[in-house]
Amino acid sequence: MTRTPVFPTATPPQPEKRPIFDTHHGITRTDDYAWLRAANWQEMFRDPSLLDGQIRAHLEAENAYQAALMADTVQLQKQLFAEMKGRIKEDDSSVPMKDGPYAYGSSFKLGGQQPRYFRTARDGGDKRILLDGDAEAEGKPYFRLGGVDHSDDHSKLLWAFDDKGSEFYTLRVRDLAGGNDLADRVPDTGGGGVWDAGNDGFFYTRLDPNHRPSKVLFHALGDGPENDRLIYEETDPGFFMDVGGTRSNEWIMIGINDHETSEYRIMSADDPFAEPKLVAARQTGLQYELEEGGDIFFILTNADGAKDFKIMTAPAHDPVRANWQELVPHEAGRLILSVIGFKDHMVRLERKEGLPRIVVRDRKSGEEHLISFDEEAFSLGLSGSYEYDTEIMRFSYSSMTTPAQVFDYNMRTRERVLLKTQEVPSGHDPEHYVTRRLMAPAADGELVPISLLHHRDTPLDGSAPCLLYGYGSYGIAVPAAFNTNLFSLVDRGFVYAIAHVRGGKDKGYGWYDDGKRANKMNTFTDFVAAAHHLVAERYTQHDRIVAQGGSAGGMLMGAVANMAPQCFGGIVAEVPFVDVLTTMLDASLPLTPPEWPEWGNPIASAEDYRTIAAYSPYDNVAALDYPPILALAGLTDPRVTYWEPAKWAARLRDRKTGENPVLFKINLDSGHAGASGRFSRLEEIAFTYAFGLKVTGKAELAARTSADEPSLPSVPRRGFIGGESCGAHQ
């Protein structure tokens, strides 16, 4: 396959090879670029200035190279940024949510990068700013707020921040009467905490040096963090842990889980010295979550073979497994996602036939009703309520064409009140766009859902470029939600598509099981099948498809690049998990032990080793004609460490054939989530969109405005001879 060159000639950085060898299960691998991993990575995450000089020089050379190759898009990036910023209501504000005498919300100021948290009187009035993120971020190259939680007596605010991108959050406490922070300063936390009933201290998780939440502690206000009392310590590095509370402020709940097993311990919020009580001991494969219900707990669980989950109840004073009783039975194909309990009602969010829905249940009568919606594909979110004793709960709705809407819903009268519709200051007419739901046939006969968005005037004759997004891990479903950024592509004639591949829960829990561990290859072949289907249905052509995914979705990008490079005109891999085998063999890394249930444990199992080795993108780079590839990373990312994409880019350049470039852009001031400010993040998105426009030959095309009626002219396909098809690389 030949391609029209779109990049200037420049010499890429190519780090020297310093081969190291490792042998597991009788198999020896060579890694020429392992030295790009900083030996002092734990310390460097906390203080990036400690990065080894040779590594920093290489990363800076990578940034210089990608800047040179993208130099001709600088003006386009500015235009894209201006368009996306123009769709944001700069001084936007959430609808305050009521809690006792007040209502709490968040807002932005004109030009502000960070949110501000405010409160008003319960039924409205002047906003009082409680926490100004812009003021806290001043002078810091990176700043991100974590959890923000007001005390039950409304006198204090517990808030968290990370100013390195490494996700070690510091907790502070603000006195809301005076507006000043107390002396309390608790470092190395998971990013949030929960007040005790007396509002004189809080529970939180502390991260160990390997970034694992290994301890739950109680901090008494006015005391030093070194004196914080240990509540519970998790000694198994394979489990995540968090701590939360109930809206009634009666219970503190410690949740412990990996990707297939969970365990809860509870204690009374008015007794921070109590021993946490075990609800049900961890049992491999048993998952459950607790939700308050007054004198009972609602329990969302897969117990007794309920693969798509059911709801049970247990008395709050003794919720052990023996006392669980079924309330909402398991129904195959109906995946229950979450439950919220109220005094007189219970609300659940579930997914059936690939779409979300909200079900409200009257606790006394057992009567249930659905909140209905009309569009073909849409996204729902349950905001719930700060209050437990209420008839009103809040939810959000959007689709790929419909801006986000926020509703208050009366669970008794069924009255739905629209509180807010997302404003698009530069204008948005849903009638100019089309959203569709397609089903792509996979090789084994399964049907892979595709959510689709395009302008109504985009020609569907195969000439349109396409951004095809995928994720497919951890059971996470990608919602078909409204995203104003996408219109900078869609208004330039792009088709935007989400491939709901296996590994997510888009079609139930079985859809997740069929895309993990030994079945992981389905995730990748599903994505290729989606690309085939979009071409077969004449939405696009293979050399016009830009594939995009981030984190575990970046692994998907690396895998399909190896399997079917000829199916794509470009690939964008953001913070990509591409060195899967090496990472899963290193138990010292933050997420490795908790991830073994998702990917397999290649240390203990030769079979798991071979399974991962068969798809791990870094291990399968070959002498192939790859499309242009853009990888993005953050230096202090504890989830996908920067050296994974750095090594991947180096190996791709060393082994690939053809002239298409590999670009690696690393933000030296951020972590997994990229730039922290809302506008700084838009600059990063503008860069990736400019890359997509460039590789599809659309970089010179201005965006269509709402007044533009003619269709875009069709242009000849680049690099394909008529009738040539895409097949997976064997």
Side-chain angles (χ1 to χ4, degrees), residues 182-457:
L182 305 180
D184 302 76
R185 188 182 186 95
V186 182
D188 301 339
T189 79
V194 56
W195 291 99
D196 70 341
N199 304 297
D200 50 12
F202 54 84
F203 302 85
Y204 68 95
T205 56
R206 179 174 291 168
L207 305 182
D208 66 17
N210 282 2
H211 205 273
R212 295 175 184 142
S214 59
K215 296 178 180 179
V216 172
L217 298 105
F218 177 75
H219 176 79
L221 294 184
D223 211 346
E226 68 277 4
N227 297 323
D228 289 354
R229 193 176 80 84
L230 179 65
I231 302 299
Y232 179 77
E233 181 171 9
E234 177 52 54
T235 57
D236 188 336
F239 281 80
F240 302 101
M241 183 168 62
D242 58 32
V243 61
T246 58
R247 283 163 294 144
S248 61
N249 210 27
E250 289 185 38
W251 298 100
I252 302 298
M253 299 188 291
I254 299 172
I256 304 162
N257 70 281
D258 64 13
H259 293 293
E260 61 184 21
T261 302
S262 53
E263 178 178 281
Y264 272 84
R265 295 170 186 266
I266 62 172
M267 54 191 297
S268 175
D270 62 9
D271 186 3
F273 297 99
E275 183 76 17
K277 181 178 180 179
L278 177 65
V279 175
R282 66 192 73 174
Q283 174 186 328
T284 300
L286 174 65
Q287 298 180 57
Y288 68 97
E289 296 178 10
L290 299 181
E291 167 63 15
E292 70 180 314
D295 59 350
I296 64 168
F297 280 116
F298 295 107
I299 302 169
L300 177 62
T301 181
N302 66 349
D304 311 311
K307 191 167 189 175
D308 287 322
F309 289 79
K310 62 182 177 179
I311 300 173
M312 305 184 80
T313 64
H317 69 277
D318 191 18
V320 296
R321 177 83 185 270
N323 292 334
W324 294 7
Q325 294 185 342
E326 187 171 273
L327 179 69
V328 179
H330 174 251
E331 179 184 312
R334 178 197 65 186
L335 178 63
I336 304 177
L337 300 167
S338 62
V339 177
I340 301 180
F342 297 91
K343 182 175 180 291
D344 297 317
H345 299 87
M346 182 193 74
V347 180
R348 67 180 187 265
L349 178 65
E350 59 188 35
R351 184 176 294 112
K352 190 170 184 178
E353 298 175 350
L355 289 174
R357 62 186 197 178
I358 295 172
V359 182
V360 179
R361 180 186 182 97
D362 184 290
R363 291 181 60 177
K364 181 178 288 187
S365 68
E367 181 185 3
E368 295 187 349
H369 68 270
L370 282 169
I371 306 177
S372 59
F373 308 94
D374 298 328
E375 291 188 271
E376 190 172 332
F378 53 86
S379 172
L380 289 177
L382 268 183
S383 305
S385 168
Y386 278 133
E387 299 176 325
Y388 173 75
D389 186 1
T390 180
E391 295 180 344
I392 306 297
M393 70 94 177
R394 185 166 294 178
F395 70 88
S396 60
Y397 172 91
S398 76
S399 75
M400 296 175 83
T401 60
T402 304
Q405 298 174 321
V406 178
F407 294 89
D408 267 354
Y409 184 79
N410 189 301
M411 295 175 281
R412 180 179 56 83
T413 67
R414 307 187 186 185
E415 180 185 10
R416 186 186 311 186
V417 178
L418 176 62
L419 301 175
K420 178 185 176 181
T421 299
Q422 179 181 352
E423 294 183 46
V424 183
S426 59
H428 172 73
D429 186 347
E431 296 301 316
H432 289 170
Y433 304 95
V434 176
T435 184
R436 294 283 315 281
R437 186 86 157 177
L438 307 180
M439 289 292 181
D444 61 358
E446 287 284 2
L447 294 177
V448 181
I450 303 174
S451 296
L452 207 67
L453 173 70
H454 62 82
H455 195 280
R456 68 179 184 190
D457 295 331

Side-chain angles (χ1 to χ4, degrees), residues 307-308 333 335 351 354 437-450 471-478 498-517 519-520 522-523 525-527 529-530 598:
K307 191 167 189 175
D308 287 322
L335 178 63
R351 184 176 294 112
R437 186 86 157 177
L438 307 180
M439 289 292 181
D444 61 358
E446 287 284 2
L447 294 177
V448 181
I450 303 174
Y471 188 74
S473 292
Y474 307 117
I476 294 172
V478 181
I498 303 169
H500 301 280
V501 296
R502 277 174 279 190
K505 293 177 185 169
D506 305 76
K507 292 177 71 175
Y509 200 90
W511 200 245
Y512 172 36
D513 270 347
D514 286 347
K516 68 185 290 194
R517 296 192 72 156
N519 299 320
K520 191 63 203 171
N522 287 333
T523 302
T525 55
D526 281 359
F527 192 83
E598 180 76 15

Side-chain angles (χ1 to χ4, degrees), residues 440 442 448 450 467-471 497-502 521-534 542 545-549 553 556-557 560-561 567-568 570-571:
V448 181
I450 303 174
L467 183 68
L468 177 60
Y469 181 85
Y471 188 74
I498 303 169
H500 301 280
V501 296
R502 277 174 279 190
M521 200 64 73
N522 287 333
T523 302
F524 316 134
T525 55
D526 281 359
F527 192 83
V528 175
H532 280 306
H533 191 64
L534 290 167
H542 283 294
I545 298 176
V546 179
Q548 182 188 28
L556 168 61
M557 296 301 102
V560 300
C567 286
F568 306 100
I571 291 177

Side-chain angles (χ1 to χ4, degrees), residues 487-504:
F487 295 103
S488 284
L489 292 179
V490 172
D491 286 348
R492 286 176 170 82
F494 263 74
V495 172
Y496 175 70
I498 303 169
H500 301 280
V501 296
R502 277 174 279 190

Side-chain angles (χ1 to χ4, degrees), residues 50-286:
L50 298 176
L51 181 65
D52 175 85
Q54 283 188 302
I55 298 174
R56 183 177 293 277
H58 173 69
L59 298 179
E60 290 174 344
E62 288 281 14
N63 275 343
Y65 174 69
Q66 54 84 6
L69 265 62
M70 293 290 287
D72 60 344
T73 69
V74 169
Q75 224 25 64
L76 173 61
Q77 292 176 49
K78 291 179 180 178
Q79 182 182 349
L80 291 166
F81 172 79
E83 291 170 11
M84 291 187 285
K85 186 178 179 182
R87 298 189 195 100
I88 294 175
K89 188 175 188 296
E90 286 201 41
D91 57 348
D92 199 12
S93 176
S94 69
V95 181
M97 186 176 284
K98 296 176 180 179
D99 186 19
Y102 299 105
Y104 292 83
S106 63
S107 66
F108 287 91
K109 63 184 178 185
L110 288 172
Q113 292 258 36
Q114 302 285 343
R116 303 182 302 173
Y117 291 85
F118 69 85
R119 76 180 178 195
T120 68
R122 180 180 177 89
D123 295 317
D126 293 337
K127 294 179 181 177
R128 182 189 169 198
I129 302 300
L130 307 178
L131 179 67
D132 185 336
D134 287 310
E136 301 299 334
E138 190 172 350
K140 297 181 175 68
Y142 180 93
F143 183 85
R144 186 178 297 275
L145 287 168
V148 178
D149 184 31
H150 60 272
S151 59
D152 192 51
D153 64 1
H154 307 280
S155 68
K156 293 176 284 290
L157 193 74
L158 178 63
W159 64 283
F161 71 90
D162 167 23
D163 58 6
K164 297 291 188 299
S166 57
E167 300 181 43
F168 284 98
Y169 284 87
T170 298
L171 284 168
R172 302 299 310 268
V173 177
R174 180 153 299 182
D175 171 35
L176 295 183
N180 299 316
D181 286 331
L182 305 180
D184 302 76
R185 188 182 186 95
V186 182
D188 301 339
T189 79
V194 56
W195 291 99
D196 70 341
N199 304 297
D200 50 12
F202 54 84
F203 302 85
Y204 68 95
T205 56
R206 179 174 291 168
L207 305 182
D208 66 17
N210 282 2
H211 205 273
R212 295 175 184 142
S214 59
K215 296 178 180 179
V216 172
L217 298 105
F218 177 75
H219 176 79
L221 294 184
D223 211 346
E226 68 277 4
N227 297 323
D228 289 354
R229 193 176 80 84
L230 179 65
I231 302 299
Y232 179 77
E233 181 171 9
E234 177 52 54
T235 57
D236 188 336
F239 281 80
F240 302 101
M241 183 168 62
D242 58 32
V243 61
T246 58
R247 283 163 294 144
S248 61
N249 210 27
E250 289 185 38
W251 298 100
I252 302 298
M253 299 188 291
I254 299 172
I256 304 162
N257 70 281
D258 64 13
H259 293 293
E260 61 184 21
T261 302
S262 53
E263 178 178 281
Y264 272 84
R265 295 170 186 266
I266 62 172
M267 54 191 297
S268 175
D270 62 9
D271 186 3
F273 297 99
E275 183 76 17
K277 181 178 180 179
L278 177 65
V279 175
R282 66 192 73 174
Q283 174 186 328
T284 300
L286 174 65

